[in-house]
Amino acid sequence: KIRAVRPEEREQIALIYSNAYRVPLEEARGWAKASDLRNTRAIFEGKRLVSMLQIIPYQVWLGGRAVSMGGIGGVATWADRQGRGYASQLMLDSLRTMRQRKMWVSVLYPFSHRYYNKFGWEIAGHRIMYTELQQHHIIRFPEHELVDAGKNVDNIPLLNSVYEKMAVRYNLCIKRTKRLWQKKLDWIKKNDAQFKRNCKELYDKENLDRIKRFANAPIDYIEERIKLNKEVLKSYHKLHHSILLAGLTGLFTILIS
């Protein structure tokens, strides 16, 4: 029988994820803790969880409308229980479950296109990953002088308003909730050291001097970052009618008009 994982079985999620994804148990426990058990579908042998997946609820833009989407993730089977068709049973069950929940679209990142194709999933796009990319490889446009990190939760409405103006034009872009934005901001805070490294070249001394000359307003230089105060924002506004604040991680953009 396929069912959701119960609260007292959460540790079993950590164990199976640690085994399937080759991550330390403590990291897998973090994944298990973050899992909404209502979204889990699992197969048990007796009391042992042997295979599972998660159906994560989202909304995506499709034809200019927001529709319900089921994101398939966390597919895992214990190594000693693979080859028994458990994952296939779960995939078929997920289709029935998503229909019942009126999720008309489903998206996943496959380990094998052939495997998921047999259940009805088709290629909807290609994911491109850039490696060894350096900041100087990216063309700098004049707007980069007005860049600041939007890491404050108060920025979420601005972040989302600009994001949706872009996302609604493309199929399958996720409609981001406040919780999703908060998750991204939390990631930046958690990985602050990496964030500083990414910021270092953009926020170097030469750029700081250019901004001072451009804005003719005081700027505090703190830990290779720029902190914009109200006087700076006023100066920028007079010069440009709008101010572009872009997240350096590429996660989001803010536009203040």
Side-chain angles (χ1 to χ4, degrees):
K1 181 182 179 181
I2 298 175
R3 62 171 174 83
V5 180
R6 295 166 183 158
E8 64 271 18
E9 298 164 334
R10 193 181 292 272
E11 177 67 8
Q12 292 204 54
I13 297 179
L15 293 171
I16 195 172
Y17 278 173
S18 179
N19 176 265
Y21 294 102
R22 304 295 190 269
V23 298
L25 183 57
E26 282 306 309
E27 182 176 351
R29 282 180 174 140
W31 297 358
K33 183 179 180 180
S35 299
D36 187 336
L37 299 184
R38 295 172 296 181
N39 300 330
T40 60
R41 303 296 293 166
I43 295 176
F44 289 79
E45 289 184 357
K47 294 184 178 181
R48 184 191 182 193
L49 190 163
V50 295
S51 188
M52 69 167 292
L53 58 72
Q54 296 192 48
I55 305 172
I56 306 170
Y58 290 102
Q59 282 192 314
V60 294
W61 297 104
L62 192 63
R65 296 175 56 193
V67 299
S68 296
M69 184 271 279
I72 302 298
V75 183
T77 302
W78 274 99
D80 64 341
R81 288 297 183 268
Q82 292 177 0
R84 304 189 180 199
Y86 287 155
S88 295
Q89 292 179 45
L90 287 171
M91 294 308 301
L92 293 172
D93 172 80
S94 73
L95 291 171
R96 292 189 291 268
T97 301
M98 286 187 288
R99 290 192 187 100
Q100 292 170 0
R101 297 179 182 179
K102 300 187 185 302
M103 295 174 170
W104 310 122
V105 182
S106 180
V107 175
L108 53 78
Y109 284 109
F111 75 93
S112 165
H113 291 108
R114 176 182 292 184
Y115 179 79
Y116 288 104
N117 181 256
K118 65 184 180 182
F119 301 110
W121 275 267
E122 296 286 351
I123 297 176
H126 296 279
R127 183 183 185 186
I128 301 175
M129 296 185 67
Y130 296 92
T131 60
E132 300 182 4
L133 185 65
Q134 301 296 321
Q135 188 74 41
H136 66 267
H137 294 153
I138 302 173
I139 297 174
R140 290 186 176 183
F141 294 96
E143 289 84 359
H144 86 274
E145 297 179 325
L146 309 177
V147 170
D148 187 31
K151 298 192 295 182
N152 193 312
V153 66
D154 295 335
N155 289 330
I156 289 178
L158 291 171
L159 293 168
N160 196 60
S161 66
V162 173
Y163 169 78
E164 289 202 349
K165 289 178 182 178
M166 177 280 298
V168 72
R169 296 180 293 173
Y170 300 94
N171 290 331
L172 300 182
C173 282
I174 290 176
K175 183 177 176 63
R176 294 180 178 172
T177 62
K178 184 176 181 179
R179 181 183 64 83
L180 288 176
W181 281 114
Q182 185 64 63
K183 185 177 180 181
K184 293 183 180 297
L185 297 182
D186 289 344
W187 182 92
I188 294 175
K189 293 177 181 178
K190 182 179 178 180
N191 297 274
D192 195 55
Q194 178 182 338
F195 192 80
K196 288 179 181 179
R197 289 195 299 271
N198 293 341
C199 293
K200 183 175 182 180
E201 184 170 341
L202 185 60
Y203 286 169
D204 59 19
K205 184 66 165 58
E206 179 184 354
N207 280 336
L208 179 68
D209 291 339
R210 292 178 64 193
I211 295 174
K212 283 183 177 179
R213 293 194 301 270
F214 179 75
N216 192 27
I219 296 180
D220 295 325
Y221 188 50
I222 301 176
E223 295 180 347
E224 298 171 327
R225 277 188 265 180
I226 298 166
K227 181 178 180 181
L228 303 179
N229 61 28
K230 292 182 180 180
E231 291 302 316
V232 175
L233 291 177
K234 289 179 181 178
S235 298
Y236 284 169
H237 191 77
K238 292 177 182 177
L239 289 167
H240 277 276
H241 300 298
S242 65
I243 302 166
L244 186 66
L245 303 177
L248 298 179
T249 58
L251 296 174
F252 44 74
T253 302
I254 312 172
L255 181 64
I256 303 177
S257 299

